[in-house]
Amino acid sequence: MKKLILIAAAFLLLAPSPKAQAGKVVTDSLSSTALKSVVKYNVYLPDGYGKSDRKYPVVYLLHGLYGDYTDWLKRGTMKGVADELIASGEAVPMVIVMPNAGAEDVHNVQNGYFNVKDWPYEDFFFGEFMPAVEAKYNCISDKGHRAVMGLSMGGGGSTVYAQRHPDLFSSCYAMSAWLDNKSDNVRRPHQPEDKLDIVCRSVMEHSALDFIDNADEATIGKLRTVKWFFDCGDDDYLLVLSEQLHQKMLRARIKTEFRVRDGGHTWEYWHQALRLALPFASRNFEK
């Protein structure tokens, strides 16, 4: 009997308590004047949200090409990761916003985080989306409590957003980032003139590598106020871009963290990357 009691006690200690630390994800939408459309998004709200007037740090978590606002929840299992990290104390309670910037049908639906013809997404993001979301979901709306991160197209988008708006973000974590579209090993040759071409061209026109090359000293100084982390797999065809940007930023005396881990351009890799990204953002939020 004593042995059975000990076994039962061990199971109780090991059993998870999801209700105690479980956040929730809500799906919302915003009618955009800039985009002339309704933009959907998911928001992760930590355990205890809404039980007081407490405000929270906010992370913008961006999806990749061919994806949408549901990817991080369905394929990246972000809710479970966030619940676990917050419960363990590795990440602080935070609001995580996952906006839509495209769809799987890249030939007939515009994609991307930058301003292009008939798709002024960056204007929408900073002029409409960010203010509306942060007001609605009790976010601390300042640089010290705001981070941006994403994978592939979203990794490039988050990097360029932090480069172009360093006064708005405390940190940027770029996973397998599509940072430029001029390298032969990245560029997709012989494409027809379709909307995917527009996305590729917009990445080229908003190259994170060119941004550093062309930045003046005042801009470099502002970039030094952001904490940077580039994370890419050793089998990822985009690895060379993260390597190049890391070296350019080091030469400009901009401190960055750069990790090459085992893996490729896969959800298995990004799921693990998120486990590093949320604690990184937490460590760099203003205390």
Side-chain angles (χ1 to χ4, degrees):
M1 177 63 70
K2 185 176 180 181
K3 185 176 181 180
L4 289 174
I5 293 174
L6 289 174
I7 292 173
F11 273 113
L12 287 173
L13 289 172
L14 292 173
S17 53
K19 291 184 179 179
Q21 292 291 341
K24 64 179 180 179
V25 175
V26 298
T27 299
D28 207 338
S29 63
L30 179 67
S31 181
S32 169
T33 301
L35 298 179
K36 298 181 177 61
S37 65
V38 174
V39 179
K40 287 188 174 183
Y41 59 97
N42 277 334
V43 184
Y44 170 87
L45 303 173
D47 179 59
Y49 179 91
K51 295 180 180 178
S52 69
D53 58 358
R54 176 180 178 178
K55 291 193 172 185
Y56 295 86
V58 58
V59 167
Y60 290 90
L61 182 59
L62 310 185
H63 67 76
L65 189 64
Y66 302 103
D68 64 20
Y69 71 101
T70 67
D71 272 14
W72 273 109
L73 180 62
K74 293 180 178 178
R75 305 181 71 183
T77 61
M78 62 75 49
K79 181 184 179 300
V81 173
D83 284 345
E84 179 184 327
L85 292 172
I86 293 172
S88 68
E90 295 173 79
V92 299
M94 63 180 75
V95 170
I96 304 174
V97 184
M98 293 154 277
N100 200 60
E104 185 175 358
D105 181 4
V106 298
H107 295 280
N108 297 297
V109 179
Q110 185 55 273
N111 285 255
Y113 296 98
F114 309 129
N115 289 350
V116 296
K117 186 177 183 296
D118 300 325
W119 185 257
Y121 193 90
E122 188 173 350
D123 291 347
F124 155 74
F125 187 92
F126 291 98
E128 297 179 329
F129 184 69
M130 183 183 288
V133 169
E134 293 185 5
K136 184 171 184 177
Y137 289 101
N138 292 345
C139 300
I140 307 174
S141 296
D142 61 29
K143 170 185 172 71
H145 297 90
R146 187 187 293 120
V148 63
M149 59 182 66
L151 67 90
S152 195
M153 181 179 78
S158 60
T159 301
V160 174
Y161 276 8
Q163 287 179 331
R164 290 163 63 89
H165 306 273
D167 55 319
L168 295 180
F169 300 105
S170 58
S171 69
C172 171
Y173 195 110
M175 313 170 198
S176 311
W178 189 17
L179 299 165
D180 188 276
N181 204 41
K182 293 189 289 293
S183 301
D184 290 339
N185 62 323
V186 174
R187 202 171 187 173
R188 297 177 176 87
H190 311 303
Q191 286 184 322
E193 285 295 325
D194 55 25
K195 290 190 176 182
L196 179 56
D197 253 345
I198 296 174
V199 180
C200 291
R201 189 158 53 248
S202 73
V203 171
M204 187 183 301
E205 292 171 352
H206 295 81
S207 166
L209 278 65
D210 289 350
F211 188 93
I212 296 297
D213 289 339
N214 299 326
D216 58 24
E217 191 53 40
T219 300
I220 293 296
K222 292 177 182 178
L223 297 181
R224 293 177 184 141
T225 70
V226 180
K227 302 298 183 182
W228 303 90
F229 200 122
F230 300 102
D231 182 350
C232 198
D234 57 357
D235 294 321
D236 196 312
Y237 68 101
L238 294 177
L239 175 59
V240 63
L241 298 178
S242 290
E243 292 174 331
Q244 290 172 357
L245 183 57
H246 174 62
Q247 290 301 321
K248 287 177 182 291
M249 293 179 77
L250 287 183
R251 286 194 291 271
R253 291 181 290 112
I254 303 169
K255 185 178 179 181
T256 68
E257 294 191 49
F258 177 45
R259 296 293 183 276
V260 180
R261 297 182 291 112
D262 181 46
H265 210 73
T266 66
W267 275 104
E268 179 184 5
Y269 191 91
W270 301 321
H271 174 81
Q272 294 300 322
L274 189 62
R275 292 182 175 277
L276 302 175
L278 295 180
F280 177 76
S282 295
R283 291 193 299 272
N284 290 297
F285 285 140
E286 190 174 285
K287 302 298 186 291

